[in-house]
Amino acid sequence: MLFALICTDKPNSLDLRLSTRPEHVKYLESLGATLKTAGPFTTDDGSPNGSLVIIDAADRAAAKAIADADPYARAGLF
């Protein structure tokens, strides 16, 4: 089943996003076929302010576990 993870960054957290990005990208890559697509939301000036991640998971609990393990989520970005 496909799940859309719609994540909104905390205000004034661009530095946290940028410093955690390498871990986040590595994590997404590790998901393999589970990850269907992912990308940032941006403001009108192009600054990232959230993420959309679409995953294939068995159920809501599995999707939540994947979302909770994301380095962005663990760092408190969302």
Side-chain angles (χ1 to χ4, degrees):
M1 179 180 300
L2 294 180
F3 290 87
L5 310 176
I6 301 170
C7 311
T8 303
D9 294 1
K10 291 191 310 190
N12 303 311
S13 58
L14 182 58
D15 289 341
L16 177 59
R17 172 178 273 275
L18 295 177
S19 67
T20 311
R21 187 174 187 280
E23 287 179 71
H24 167 72
V25 170
K26 186 176 178 178
Y27 176 70
L28 293 179
E29 290 171 350
S30 78
L31 294 175
T34 297
L35 178 67
K36 297 306 177 187
T37 194
F41 291 117
T42 59
T43 62
D44 289 341
D45 69 4
S47 298
N49 66 350
S51 298
L52 171 64
V53 180
I54 299 177
I55 56 171
D56 189 1
D59 55 30
R60 184 181 172 103
K64 184 172 181 346
I66 291 168
D68 290 347
D70 187 313
Y72 277 169
R74 289 186 294 121
L77 178 64
F78 305 136

